[in-house]
Amino acid sequence: MAMLRAATRLSRAFRTNSIFESHASPLSLSSVKRLDLRCLLSTAAEAVAEPIKPDISISLTKLLIDGKFVDAASGKTFPTIDPRTEEIIAHVAEGDVEDVNRAVKAARRAFDKGPWPKMTPYERSKILLRFADLIDKHSDELATLESLDSGKTYQQSRYAEIPTMARLFRYYAGWADKIHGLTVPADGPHSVQILHEPIGVAGQIIPWNFPLLMFSWKVGPALACGNTIVLKTAEQTPLSALLAGKLLYEAGLPEGVLNIISGYGHTAGAAISSHMDIDKLAFTGSTEVGKIVSQAAAASNLKPVTLELGGKSPFIIAEDANIDHAVEVAHFALFFNQGQCCCAGSRTFVHESIYDEFLEKAKARALKRVVGDPFQNGVEQGPQVSDEQFDKVLGYIKIGQEEGARLLTGGDRFGQKGYYIKPTIFADVQDGMRISREEIFGPVQAITKYKTLSEVIQRANDTTYGLAAGVFSKNIDTVNTLSRALRVGTVWVNCYDVFDAAIPFGGYKMSGHGREKGIYSLNNYLQVKAVVTSIKDPAWL
Ligand code: NAI
Ligand code: MG
């Protein structure tokens, strides 16, 4: 019963903006105590019990090209790793240039000759709706693959991310038959139609932190607009998208419309971004690789590029804030998904009048955070996704100590096996420190003190990034001033990480360009064509 309530709240949290309520209540230690504690870890007892064996057999490991699962042309495979155990889950076909070429050929044919762009938008919409129903039906399996491959908690996958995925496809199914152009007046005897056409073959490269949500944000709008796709998953998390792809074909997608390549960035990813026959590129990942794919896109066929990149998002807590609430939401804003969020609230600015109390409570909350096997009910934090990320985060913790930031709690690995890291907090962080300027992408909260509104605006904007910000205040003037002054794509006020399908998401500055989700994402996948027809002897202009 307790779990059912927890699950319902977690799912509701993604529909409403009460993430705080959902994360404070169901996953608090008091509710955890009522659950099975066999494999729970706590910072006091640092030992991982035998990992839970999820009930799943891995059957989809090949590339999905032209509606069929096929081996890589080279015959090569690569291992995907369980971040809990550091052991191999499965060997997956390793796509490379030749496979990308095959996939583009299939997608090209499906676009130029296939039924997909010619299908009525209503028919396309029905396929997307059937797919959403199949997501619901297979949500246990999708969530299991997602958590096994990435280390995120099963509860989060099953009750928040998979329902959000289904919701997103229903949202874009709703758009499919509402995409239309205009007729516009002309100065002479001309009839002018503005057509909104699909752009063609979309290349999409996604990361590992939210594999299925990133799949959805890219595939949903591209399909609603009538495009075909070559998508590359991240090498750390190839499994769940293959099942999603299979279900899309089961829902009635014509052959070749969606092709999925598992493989590495410098090979398969590079082949996509530089391909001459791909008409559009969408990328989510690091700023560094965002620059590389943009250059490749420009140097090949000048395909337009949308980028969702990194961030160093400020979370600003004003003097009038309810401290307990602010502590909880600031905790969630940073530690959610093991801190592996592009929009993580990774610079916590606290007004000086409440700073000491905030630090004390933030530390207590981090100490209570339940770290452990992501398949265990009640666990809030699983392992980081990979050894590379684990090393990177521990590296930044060391840098923070060397730079002189005050380590309040954590600072080390958790347990002896798996990529677990203790929830870590630095206080008195100075703006010039690397832990305040660079994306850590892990469970490391950096807290700093401010005095005035104008000071915090200047400091919050003093970054190369501009993805998101959190504002915590009950004063409407403070909220209005901050939300307009912050140079970021999303401002969450008295909430954080609210990701409804209709809300556009994207960055200012080096956090990228273009927006995903909502009506704005459709523009990324449409061409605009003006058809100007001379009219003989018009009755009116
Ligand atoms: P990454 O940017 O290398 O990987 C993202 C995607 O790009 C993956 O599918 C990867 O295979 C692909 N890729 C890599 N090199 C490529 C290339 N030369 N051409 C085409 N595609 C390429 O990110 P990585 O190495 O996994 O993580 C490094 C850091 O990036 C993280 O620590 C984090 O700071 C940031 N990051 C940000 C994400 C976001 O959501 N904005 C997601 C993942 C990572
Ligand atoms: Mg990389």
Side-chain angles (χ1 to χ4, degrees):
M1 242 349 255
M3 272 325 301
L4 193 63
R5 273 203 310 278
T8 312
R9 281 201 215 120
L10 196 57
S11 153
R12 190 184 344 120
F14 269 66
R15 297 201 309 271
T16 67
N17 47 5
S18 58
I19 289 282
F20 160 71
E21 183 198 349
S22 72
H23 281 259
S25 319
L27 301 182
S28 68
L29 276 185
S30 59
S31 64
V32 163
K33 275 184 196 138
R34 291 197 296 275
L35 305 170
D36 180 358
L37 286 164
R38 260 176 316 155
C39 299
L40 275 192
L41 301 177
S42 74
T43 39
E46 256 185 64
V48 186
E50 272 309 293
I52 295 172
K53 224 175 158 351
D55 181 20
I56 194 150
S57 66
I58 311 291
S59 56
L60 302 175
T61 56
K62 297 189 178 187
L63 311 174
L64 180 53
I65 298 179
D66 211 4
K68 293 167 206 71
F69 284 98
V70 296
D71 289 318
S74 66
K76 282 208 264 183
T77 62
F78 67 100
T80 186
I81 306 291
D82 181 341
R84 304 173 304 160
T85 60
E86 308 177 35
E87 284 160 17
I88 295 171
I89 304 169
H91 292 273
V92 176
E94 183 186 330
D96 206 329
V97 179
E98 207 175 322
D99 306 294
V100 169
N101 287 339
R102 283 195 291 166
V104 174
K105 221 172 183 172
R108 192 81 257 168
R109 203 196 54 243
F111 187 78
D112 293 343
K113 305 206 169 66
W116 186 246
K118 298 186 182 72
M119 199 179 270
T120 67
Y122 180 46
E123 286 301 318
R124 281 205 296 270
S125 161
K126 284 197 290 190
I127 291 172
L128 296 180
L129 288 173
R130 278 202 293 273
F131 176 49
D133 290 344
L134 287 171
I135 294 170
D136 287 343
K137 191 171 157 201
H138 292 268
S139 48
D140 290 341
E141 214 176 331
L142 285 164
T144 303
L145 288 175
E146 193 77 330
S147 287
L148 188 61
D149 226 6
S150 71
K152 64 177 72 212
T153 70
Y154 178 77
Q155 278 196 313
Q156 181 185 317
S157 297
R158 174 64 183 79
Y159 300 107
E161 295 187 18
I162 306 299
T164 303
M165 177 189 188
R167 174 69 181 96
L168 195 121
F169 276 95
R170 291 195 177 96
Y171 174 85
Y172 281 110
W175 269 118
D177 59 358
K178 293 163 200 74
I179 295 164
H180 51 73
L182 300 165
T183 57
V184 296
D187 288 343
H190 296 110
S191 151
V192 183
Q193 290 170 278
I194 311 294
L195 304 179
H196 290 183
E197 298 181 346
I199 199 165
V201 176
Q204 305 182 323
I205 300 175
I206 60 173
W208 43 262
N209 52 344
F210 294 94
L212 283 175
L213 287 182
M214 295 301 100
F215 174 97
S216 313
W217 291 15
K218 297 214 166 15
V219 171
L223 291 185
C225 295
N227 299 282
T228 62
I229 298 170
V230 176
L231 173 132
K232 191 193 87 63
T233 48
E235 56 269 35
Q236 297 84 351
T237 53
L239 298 176
S240 57
L242 295 172
L243 176 55
K246 176 172 175 268
L247 297 177
L248 246 170
Y249 281 103
E250 229 173 282
L253 198 71
E255 275 175 10
V257 174
L258 171 67
N259 303 275
I260 302 179
I261 302 289
S262 316
Y264 293 102
H266 64 282
T267 52
I272 290 174
S273 48
S274 63
H275 208 288
M276 290 300 289
D277 221 9
I278 288 182
D279 302 301
K280 189 258 166 329
L281 182 68
F283 172 83
T284 299
S286 60
T287 299
E288 178 198 352
V289 175
K291 289 182 182 177
I292 294 172
V293 298
S294 298
Q295 284 165 0
S300 53
N301 62 347
L302 273 175
K303 57 180 82 59
V305 180
T306 41
L307 301 172
E308 302 280 354
L309 307 175
K312 199 70 195 172
S313 300
F315 188 105
I316 300 170
I317 299 149
E319 55 198 306
D320 64 285
N322 172 322
I323 296 185
D324 291 336
H325 191 195
V327 164
E328 186 59 39
V329 181
H331 176 86
F332 171 67
L334 186 282
F335 290 100
F336 175 59
N337 205 46
Q338 291 69 246
Q340 301 167 147
C341 298
C342 47
C343 55
S346 52
R347 291 182 294 149
T348 312
F349 289 93
V350 184
H351 191 266
E352 62 175 2
S353 62
I354 54 172
Y355 186 70
D356 291 338
E357 185 181 350
F358 186 93
L359 286 187
E360 199 181 301
K361 290 183 167 169
K363 178 181 171 183
R365 179 61 185 95
L367 281 168
K368 270 197 351 190
R369 187 165 187 79
V370 184
V371 183
D373 190 321
F375 285 96
Q376 177 62 49
N377 290 338
V379 161
E380 295 175 283
Q381 181 177 315
Q384 308 309 117
V385 73
S386 65
D387 55 349
E388 196 183 333
Q389 288 299 310
F390 176 78
D391 291 343
K392 177 182 166 184
V393 175
L394 289 178
Y396 271 110
I397 291 174
K398 197 156 167 271
I399 289 169
Q401 285 169 297
E402 285 164 5
E403 285 178 320
R406 179 154 60 100
L407 185 69
L408 276 192
T409 183
D412 207 352
R413 76 178 297 162
F414 187 94
Q416 295 312 312
K417 197 163 95 176
Y419 310 129
Y420 296 92
I421 295 179
K422 287 180 192 165
T424 296
I425 300 184
F426 282 109
D428 307 343
V429 174
Q430 302 300 307
D431 294 353
M433 292 178 177
R434 283 182 64 194
I435 59 163
S436 179
R437 306 206 69 78
E438 298 170 19
E439 190 171 48
I440 300 176
F441 231 61
V444 183
Q445 188 174 26
I447 307 180
T448 185
K449 186 195 293 193
Y450 77 92
K451 271 191 178 71
T452 68
L453 212 52
S454 57
E455 170 207 334
V456 80
I457 289 169
Q458 188 274 324
R459 291 172 61 197
N461 282 334
D462 180 19
T463 164
T464 53
Y465 293 117
L467 195 54
V471 169
F472 232 79
S473 172
K474 295 214 181 315
N475 182 325
I476 191 73
D477 296 328
T478 304
V479 168
N480 283 337
T481 300
L482 282 173
S483 55
R484 277 156 183 74
L486 294 166
R487 306 269 303 147
V488 298
T490 301
V491 179
W492 283 296
V493 180
N494 297 330
C495 62
Y496 210 81
D497 280 347
V498 179
F499 282 111
D500 290 21
I503 304 175
F505 185 79
Y508 285 31
K509 300 195 271 185
M510 280 168 68
S511 291
H513 46 74
R515 293 291 178 271
E516 292 192 305
K517 299 195 288 123
I519 188 171
Y520 297 89
S521 193
L522 299 172
N523 295 335
N524 302 334
Y525 294 100
L526 292 169
Q527 278 287 15
V528 175
K529 178 186 280 175
V531 179
V532 184
T533 309
S534 165
I535 318 176
K536 211 175 147 201
D537 203 12
W540 48 269
L541 284 179

